[in-house]
Amino acid sequence: MLNKVAVLLYHRVALFEFGVINEVFGLDRTDDGVPAFEFLICSPQPGVPLDIGNGAFVVPPHALSECLDADLVAIPGGSTDPDFPPEVLDALRTVVDNGGRVLTVCSGAFAAAAAGLLDGRRCTTHWRYGSKLARMYPDAIVDTDVLFVDDGPITTSAGTAAGIDAALHLVREEFGPEVANRIARRMVVPPHRDGGQRQFVEAPIPECDSDGFAGVLEWMIGNLDTEISVDALAGRMHMSTRTFARRFVDEVGISPHKWLTEQRVLHARRLLESTDLPVDDVAGKVGFASATLLRHHFNATVGVSPTTYRRRFAR
């Protein structure tokens, strides 16, 4: 059962991420039919103020020893460097060894990884830190397309607000959708969000060191609304189709078709954000033969439909 919940704080505290955990597990909502949680705020140095930025501090009242038998220990975002207090890492391992769960929010995944809890497990973190997490902890299976990941006793969530999704998921898993919906309604958030964090990631045009390929990439971007074949691109570069395709992968990292599709989706995102063009017109302007084809590639790349994306991000 999910009865005792502890949040583990150390160094500087990410206030929003800490607030998310407190909102879901730390407030008494028994008047609304939500079970009461025993909620503890723990630290290696209880009673010592921890910086939350802008000259403000939070003072954890409980020692690490009080979280060792918790049903769930949550770690807000924090440092992405490997210098975590050893006693924090030991505490996380002990919680799992005792049958408890660990929830990380945003960069809190780095603490779980440093404790060895992500070895061989799927996990996520904020999309900006995904590459660093994978590089520092190669045994972790990092997926930055999603809002949260459950793998065994470890739940990791993406940046900031994705902690809400993960925390509500744990409540839903333990107490059912009605309880999770009641908490979400009080927080004025959706009880479940579709898509993943791909929809929030800016997709810059990749750089290319080769003058020749930089030129052909620029031409492709300027002509997205036209039919572009690999044969035609190879002709522009005075190469055979096979040689061009191989060189393109060497220079850019992906195939010409995949790169072109990604750029068309990226341009569609910009048009959906900044114009009120119908989806059919957007499809034509970015080079997709139909709105159906746009929806297919958009959903595969971004994780949500063009209409949903526009509703969330239109200026």
Side-chain angles (χ1 to χ4, degrees), residues 206-219:
E207 296 180 0
C208 181
D209 295 332
S210 168
D211 291 339
F213 274 86
V216 80
L217 297 185
E218 185 177 348
W219 182 88

Side-chain angles (χ1 to χ4, degrees), residues 29-36 178-179 182 186:
R29 292 196 171 100
T30 53
D31 62 330
D32 204 15
V34 176
E178 185 176 350
V179 172
R182 288 178 180 177
R186 289 282 289 270

Side-chain angles (χ1 to χ4, degrees), residues 246-297:
R246 177 177 53 78
R247 286 282 309 281
F248 194 98
V249 172
D250 290 342
E251 295 283 347
V252 182
I254 55 177
S255 71
H257 177 73
K258 183 173 176 58
W259 190 89
L260 184 59
T261 299
E262 289 183 352
Q263 296 312 308
R264 283 177 165 152
V265 169
L266 176 58
H267 189 34
R269 288 173 62 171
R270 296 193 188 105
L271 292 176
L272 292 167
E273 291 173 9
S274 60
T275 76
D276 58 0
L277 289 171
V279 173
D280 287 288
D281 291 352
V282 171
K285 285 187 174 294
V286 302
F288 288 121
S290 67
T292 300
L293 199 57
L294 168 62
R295 292 187 185 97
H296 169 75
H297 288 295

Side-chain angles (χ1 to χ4, degrees), residues 55-78:
F57 297 85
V58 61
V59 183
H62 299 284
L64 281 181
S65 58
E66 298 190 52
C67 78
L68 299 182
D69 63 345
D71 302 306
L72 174 69
V73 170
I75 313 169

Side-chain angles (χ1 to χ4, degrees), residues 165 168-169 172 177 180-181 184 189-193:
D165 300 282
L168 290 176
H169 162 74
R172 186 183 305 109
N181 290 350
V189 298
H192 176 77
R193 287 193 294 169

Side-chain angles (χ1 to χ4, degrees), residues 7 10-11 42 114 120 133 155 202 217-218 229 234 256 267 274 301 304:
V7 58
Y10 53 90
H11 297 326
C42 302
L133 182 65
T155 301
E202 290 188 21
L217 297 185
E218 185 177 348
S229 69
H267 189 34
S274 60
T301 302
V304 295

Side-chain angles (χ1 to χ4, degrees), residues 10-310:
Y10 53 90
H11 297 326
R12 182 166 176 167
V13 178
L15 184 58
F16 186 96
E17 286 84 343
F18 168 59
V20 164
I21 299 164
N22 184 71
E23 276 284 334
V24 176
F25 300 108
L27 301 186
D28 184 353
R29 292 196 171 100
T30 53
D31 62 330
D32 204 15
V34 176
F37 299 101
E38 180 185 0
F39 187 71
L40 303 177
I41 304 172
C42 302
S43 172
Q45 296 179 294
V48 176
L50 297 176
D51 184 16
I52 61 173
N54 297 319
F57 297 85
V58 61
V59 183
H62 299 284
L64 281 181
S65 58
E66 298 190 52
C67 78
L68 299 182
D69 63 345
D71 302 306
L72 174 69
V73 170
I75 313 169
S79 175
T80 62
D81 295 325
D83 57 341
F84 296 99
E87 59 269 33
V88 168
L89 304 183
D90 288 340
L92 293 176
R93 298 185 193 105
T94 300
V95 168
V96 173
D97 289 342
N98 289 341
R101 297 185 62 88
V102 171
L103 164 66
T104 71
V105 182
C106 193
S107 56
F110 283 79
L117 300 180
L118 300 186
D119 290 353
R121 288 193 168 104
R122 283 187 66 238
C123 60
T124 192
T125 186
H126 192 291
W127 57 267
R128 291 188 64 183
Y129 306 134
S131 296
K132 183 175 182 179
L133 182 65
R135 185 172 62 253
M136 290 176 60
Y137 304 100
D139 290 333
I141 306 167
V142 182
D143 181 359
T144 53
D145 284 345
V146 296
L147 294 175
F148 63 87
V149 174
D150 255 344
D151 195 328
I154 315 299
T155 301
T156 52
S157 64
T160 311
I164 300 174
D165 300 282
L168 290 176
H169 162 74
L170 292 175
V171 172
R172 186 183 305 109
E173 190 178 60
E174 183 69 29
F175 300 104
E178 185 176 350
V179 172
N181 290 350
R182 288 178 180 177
I183 296 175
R185 188 161 51 245
R186 289 282 289 270
M187 295 175 66
V188 197
V189 298
H192 176 77
R193 287 193 294 169
D194 57 345
Q197 59 176 325
R198 282 176 293 171
Q199 60 193 296
F200 304 103
V201 179
E202 290 188 21
I205 298 170
E207 296 180 0
C208 181
D209 295 332
S210 168
D211 291 339
F213 274 86
V216 80
L217 297 185
E218 185 177 348
W219 182 88
M220 291 166 73
I221 291 171
N223 293 273
L224 290 176
D225 58 343
T226 65
E227 184 177 347
I228 301 175
S229 69
V230 177
D231 288 343
L233 294 172
R236 294 183 65 87
M237 295 292 292
H238 307 291
M239 298 178 184
S240 70
T241 301
R242 178 177 295 181
T243 299
F244 174 81
R246 177 177 53 78
R247 286 282 309 281
F248 194 98
V249 172
D250 290 342
E251 295 283 347
V252 182
I254 55 177
S255 71
H257 177 73
K258 183 173 176 58
W259 190 89
L260 184 59
T261 299
E262 289 183 352
Q263 296 312 308
R264 283 177 165 152
V265 169
L266 176 58
H267 189 34
R269 288 173 62 171
R270 296 193 188 105
L271 292 176
L272 292 167
E273 291 173 9
S274 60
T275 76
D276 58 0
L277 289 171
V279 173
D280 287 288
D281 291 352
V282 171
K285 285 187 174 294
V286 302
F288 288 121
S290 67
T292 300
L293 199 57
L294 168 62
R295 292 187 185 97
H296 169 75
H297 288 295
F298 199 94
N299 213 326
T301 302
V302 183
V304 295
S305 70
T307 301
T308 299
Y309 184 86
R310 167 172 273 166

